[in-house]
């Protein structure tokens, strides 16, 4: 069985980061080992969460992993809370990447703004950190910020996307996936780019109006599971768009408070049965 390390916070309430990564990756038949970077009572869209920073614990965990000789087929990093953690996780990647893939979700903002708690300096350091990745998966906000350009909003064409994707692979990873892409009304999805073949792959699902928190982490987790199982970049993106879309549809007519995240639990059977390649 393939084994990956999932490096990000655990937010107890609000379905994001480890509380979605572990079940989703496990459901796909891949062992997911958490390296928790912080413990929060909820994610930061709720006011004033209790936060326990776990930076000081990280070396205790990873030193033990070295002693027991554990290795990973992939390393997946998500929300990391500080510049210090970027340095520590950067060293973790150097020590543990072996022949596995490194998948970086540069979680730091959305809708043209940084999440609370991130200083502008974090953006440049995250762009540098992305150079450690084989695959990076920013949303449009994170991509524009890392490339030092204004947030592109909703008006762009295929050439704009190609320029952004080329710029992203210029940061050092050979593959980039841009999330939150919409090229026509009623459709939303992702664009993937492989700098080796220069090919762009667009995958769209039905757009459900509104903003759904945690969907970036759901998308990234499915991609990681699929890549760990040896699927191609295009297959991974298709699988992730379909599952994210289904999770949103399971939620749209339910909980009105979007901060609690989407009902991905109801869509999990699709991953368990490996039936996730049908088109939306
Ligand atoms: O879903 C991204 C995310 C992860 N972890 C924490 C967050 C957020 C987004 O706000 O606050 C703690």
């Amino acid at each position: 069985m393939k084994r990956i390390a999932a490096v990000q916070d655990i937010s107890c309430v609000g379905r994001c980061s480890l509380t979605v990564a572990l079940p989703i990756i496990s459901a796909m038949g891949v062992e997911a080992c958490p390296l928790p970077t912080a413990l929060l009572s909820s994610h930061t869209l709720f006011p004033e969460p209790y936060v326990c920073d776990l930076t000081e614990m990280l070396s205790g965990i990873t030193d033990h992993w070295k002693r027991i000789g554990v290795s990973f087929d992939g390393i997946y990093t998500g929300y990391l809370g500080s510049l210090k953690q970027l340095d520590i996780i950067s060293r973790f990647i150097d020590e543990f990447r072996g022949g596995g893939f490194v998948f970086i979700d540069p979680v730091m903002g959305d809708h043209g703004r940084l999440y609370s708690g991130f200083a502008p300096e974090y953006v440049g350091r995250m762009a540098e950190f992305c150079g450690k990745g084989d695959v990076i998966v920013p949303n449009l906000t994170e991509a524009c910020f890392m490339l030092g350009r204004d947030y592109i909003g909703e008006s762009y064409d295929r050439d704009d996307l190609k320029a952004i994707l080329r710029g992203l692979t210029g940061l050092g990873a050979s593959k980039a996936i841009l999330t939150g892409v919409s090229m026509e009304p009623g459709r939303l999805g992702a664009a993937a780019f492989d700098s080796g073949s220069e090919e762009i792959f667009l995958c769209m699902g039905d757009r459900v109006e509104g903003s759904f928190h945690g969907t970036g982490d759901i998308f990234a987790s499915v991609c990681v599971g699929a890549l760990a199982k040896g699927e191609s970049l295009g297959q991974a993106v298709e699988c992730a768009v379909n599952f994210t879309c289904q999770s949103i549809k399971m939620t749209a007519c339910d909980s009105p408070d979007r901060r609690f995240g989407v009902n991905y639990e109801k869509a999990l059977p699709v991953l368990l049965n490996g039936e996730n390649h049908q088109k939306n």
Side-chain angles (χ1 to χ4, degrees):
M1 191 183 247
K2 300 291 184 186
R3 177 191 297 130
I4 66 98
V7 188
Q8 51 195 306
D9 69 284
I10 179 153
S11 289
C12 304
V13 165
R15 292 193 189 92
C16 66
S17 39
L18 283 177
T19 62
V20 309
L22 300 184
I24 287 175
I25 295 167
S26 303
M28 295 178 80
V30 173
E31 181 187 352
C33 303
L35 181 55
T37 52
L39 171 66
L40 292 88
S41 53
S42 75
H43 59 59
T44 58
L45 259 65
F46 287 100
E48 297 173 28
Y50 167 79
V51 182
C52 177
D53 185 303
L54 301 177
T55 307
E56 300 308 318
M57 284 175 47
L58 294 173
S59 63
I61 297 172
T62 56
D63 286 352
H64 180 242
W65 285 356
K66 265 186 259 168
R67 290 198 298 279
I68 61 173
V70 72
S71 63
F72 299 103
D73 300 293
I75 295 174
Y76 160 33
T77 71
Y79 183 102
L80 303 173
S82 65
L83 297 175
K84 188 168 179 196
Q85 285 195 348
L86 284 179
D87 288 341
I88 292 173
I89 302 308
S90 192
R91 286 199 295 276
F92 169 73
I93 290 173
D94 292 339
E95 285 170 347
F96 281 88
R97 76 185 307 157
F101 68 93
V102 176
F103 185 100
I104 296 178
D105 184 352
V107 180
M108 58 187 159
D110 207 358
H111 308 297
R113 299 182 53 188
L114 288 177
Y115 292 133
S116 73
F118 287 98
E121 193 191 348
Y122 190 86
V123 175
R125 294 284 293 278
M126 178 51 93
E128 213 177 287
F129 181 74
C130 279
K132 295 248 160 205
D134 297 302
V135 186
I136 60 173
V137 59
N139 60 30
L140 273 167
T141 300
E142 291 152 351
C144 291
F145 286 3
M146 287 198 294
L147 297 178
R149 44 188 292 175
D150 290 336
Y151 174 53
I152 199 165
E154 298 253 323
S155 55
Y156 45 82
D157 57 22
R158 219 185 147 94
D159 288 341
D160 295 322
L161 287 185
K162 193 158 191 173
I164 292 175
L165 286 161
R166 268 225 186 87
L168 288 171
T169 53
L171 298 176
S174 64
K175 300 181 180 84
I177 306 168
L178 199 49
T179 61
V181 169
S182 181
M183 305 294 286
E184 53 177 317
R187 306 285 283 167
L188 181 70
F193 180 70
D194 185 329
S195 62
S197 61
E198 285 265 308
E199 249 181 297
I200 288 199
F201 174 79
L202 277 172
C203 183
M204 298 292 144
D206 290 338
R207 178 179 204 143
V208 177
E209 277 319 312
S211 173
F212 293 88
H213 192 260
T215 46
D217 299 343
I218 291 174
F219 180 92
S221 301
V222 178
C223 284
V224 168
L227 292 173
K229 285 165 61 175
E231 295 190 19
S232 68
L233 185 70
Q235 285 171 320
V237 169
E238 187 187 316
C239 192
V241 167
N242 287 336
F243 184 77
T244 308
C245 217
Q246 300 215 15
S247 301
I248 291 172
K249 285 178 183 167
M250 297 293 181
T251 319
C253 52
D254 195 10
S255 58
D257 189 340
R258 298 280 185 249
R259 293 174 303 178
F260 285 92
V262 295
N263 296 356
Y264 76 88
E265 297 89 342
K266 284 196 184 160
L268 276 181
V270 173
L271 288 181
L272 279 170
N273 299 329
E275 293 163 1
N276 206 37
H277 284 294
Q278 73 271 23
K279 287 266 174 241
N280 274 284

